[in-house]
Amino acid sequence: MIQTLIKNWWLLASSAVLNAILSVIYLIMQDTDGPLTFHSWSGTVAFLGKLALAAAACTIAAGVLRSANGKCWLLVLNGLALGALGLIQYAFVRYRISFLTVALLVVLMALSVGILELVIARTLLRQRHIVGGWSLALAGVASVAFALAFLALGFRWIKLEPGSHSDLLWLGSYFGFTATCMLWLALRLRSLGHSQSGRLWRPTHIGSRQVSGNRPR
């Protein structure tokens, strides 16, 4: 699975950038007096749906493309949940969708990426990547915390003030956090790929001859 993600790190980075754009738009929408750059609220939501669908496509592709060593089903699940949210925002923008539906999709996204972060963190720690492993483990715990928070928000265990648009603030915060974690993970995977390639092709000297790791004699 990790090898698949290493090969597709750029797709993960692309998804991170799209998540960051989603975060910015949600935070702008949260401020009702802010400078919205779209013609209408519904137009903004539809645009959010398009961005979410594009981010979902990148996320799913990152989990399945070039996956001879194993697909990353947790990333696929994250992408499917994000795609469902994007479809709701884009195709059903004229219909009233309860916040519970949105919250449960975010719970699924946060749990799937949180578990993935914890799994990769364990692998990094086993390989003696202490700083990267613990950083990713903390990100995984924070993602699970977001999942619990949205579960509480969806079932109204945490009350939202009417007209405050606090739900948009929560969504903007979540997507901003996810974008940061995904981009960091993508860059970390890229670095791991380069280090593995360096070990594979690092030349060794035997007497006066130079031999490369994978080069036939």
Side-chain angles (χ1 to χ4, degrees):
M1 179 193 71
I2 299 237
Q3 293 302 317
T4 297
L5 295 179
I6 288 175
K7 294 175 183 177
N8 297 327
W9 70 268
W10 60 276
L11 285 167
L12 203 58
S14 300
S15 180
V17 172
L18 290 169
N19 273 275
I21 298 173
L22 285 168
S23 172
V24 170
I25 296 175
Y26 275 122
L27 293 175
I28 291 175
M29 291 174 66
Q30 189 267 335
D31 182 5
T32 53
D33 297 324
L36 282 176
T37 56
F38 306 93
H39 295 298
S40 67
W41 183 277
S42 61
T44 306
V45 173
F47 182 68
L48 283 168
K50 293 179 182 178
L51 287 174
L53 287 171
C58 290
T59 303
I60 293 172
V64 299
L65 287 182
R66 304 164 67 185
S67 55
N69 295 318
K71 296 179 175 63
C72 182
W73 294 113
L74 286 169
L75 206 56
V76 171
L77 181 60
N78 180 275
L80 289 174
L82 180 57
L85 178 62
L87 185 63
I88 287 173
Q89 292 175 321
Y90 176 64
F92 302 103
V93 67
R94 295 181 179 86
Y95 303 94
R96 185 175 180 84
I97 305 297
S98 70
F99 182 70
L100 176 60
T101 301
V102 175
L104 290 178
L105 288 173
V106 175
V107 168
L108 192 56
M109 285 187 279
L111 278 179
S112 57
V113 78
I115 294 172
L116 176 63
E117 287 164 343
L118 291 172
V119 169
I120 297 177
R122 183 179 64 176
T123 301
L124 291 177
L125 289 172
R126 285 178 176 177
Q127 296 176 355
R128 307 296 183 184
H129 299 287
I130 304 301
V131 175
W134 279 112
S135 298
L136 205 54
L138 290 174
V141 172
S143 294
V144 173
F146 264 110
L148 295 176
F150 272 93
L151 189 65
L153 288 167
F155 285 103
R156 297 186 179 181
W157 301 331
I158 297 177
K159 299 293 184 181
L160 296 175
E161 292 294 330
S164 65
H165 300 304
S166 297
D167 52 345
L168 299 177
L169 178 60
W170 276 96
L171 286 167
S173 300
Y174 168 73
F175 279 105
F177 171 77
T178 300
T180 303
C181 291
M182 277 192 171
L183 185 58
W184 185 90
L185 178 58
L187 296 176
R188 185 66 188 176
L189 290 167
R190 180 175 179 268
S191 176
L192 284 174
H194 284 172
S195 65
Q196 290 177 3
S197 176
R199 286 196 300 269
L200 182 63
W201 292 100
R202 186 174 54 197
T204 58
H205 295 273
I206 303 177
S208 60
R209 294 182 303 168
Q210 180 173 314
V211 182
S212 290
N214 259 10
R215 188 175 298 170
R217 296 180 181 178

